[in-house]
């Protein structure tokens, strides 16, 4: 197996004010894991969920979480290897395209 691709979801327990009637950040995170693993399996993909109001103690996560809190993005924000793949209501098609560009292949 080649390089590992990391999918990171930045979100919060409370719903984004502009995201009424959309799933919560955690629900989106779990839905993405299920959808991606069905299509691509689990090899070569790692997942992380970052709460924007209590990010882990590292500069990269804290800085990006702060950008979301300051409303530069609608949450949940989905990153594929640090590239924004979607926000608010992320689209699977866009995430799939990024995964394939990064060498992740569909399972047979």
């Amino acid at each position: 197996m080649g390089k590992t691709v990391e999918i990171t979801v930045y979100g919060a327990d409370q719903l984004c004010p502009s995201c009424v009637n959309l799933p919560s950040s955690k629900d989106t995170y779990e839905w993405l894991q299920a959808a991606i693993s069905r299509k691509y399996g689990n090899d070569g993909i790692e997942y992380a969920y970052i709460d924007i109001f209590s990010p882990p103690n590292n500069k990269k996560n804290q800085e990006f979480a702060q950008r979301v809190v300051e409303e530069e993005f609608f949450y949940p924000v989905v990153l594929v290897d640090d590239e924004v793949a979607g926000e608010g209501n992320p689209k699977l098609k866009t995430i799939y395209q990024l995964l394939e560009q990064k060498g992740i292949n569909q399972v047979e």
Side-chain angles (χ1 to χ4, degrees):
M1 187 74 214
K3 173 179 166 326
T4 298
V5 174
E6 184 173 353
I7 296 175
T8 307
V9 177
Y10 285 83
D13 287 338
Q14 68 209 47
L15 288 178
C16 165
S18 355
C19 302
V20 177
N21 298 324
L22 292 176
S24 71
S25 297
K26 278 275 199 201
D27 289 342
T28 299
Y29 173 70
E30 292 167 0
W31 167 73
L32 282 173
Q33 280 185 293
I36 292 167
S37 66
R38 266 194 307 278
K39 187 165 182 146
Y40 297 97
N42 294 312
D43 292 338
I45 303 173
E46 291 182 359
Y47 300 89
Y49 178 82
I50 309 291
D51 186 313
I52 60 173
F53 296 111
S54 59
N57 194 15
N58 73 53
K59 189 173 180 164
K60 180 179 104 174
N61 291 137
Q62 290 174 340
E63 286 177 352
F64 195 86
Q66 188 60 38
R67 290 172 65 192
V68 179
V69 169
E70 291 172 356
E71 299 181 359
E72 187 174 328
F73 299 99
F74 293 113
Y75 59 87
V77 181
V78 179
L79 274 62
V80 176
D81 279 349
D82 299 326
E83 183 176 341
V84 176
E87 59 179 300
N89 187 17
K91 306 290 182 245
L92 276 176
K93 185 177 180 180
T94 304
I95 295 165
Y96 289 165
Q97 287 172 337
L98 280 171
L99 288 171
E100 290 175 11
Q101 287 172 10
K102 295 180 181 298
I104 300 296
N105 299 311
Q106 292 184 40
V107 291
E108 299 299 318

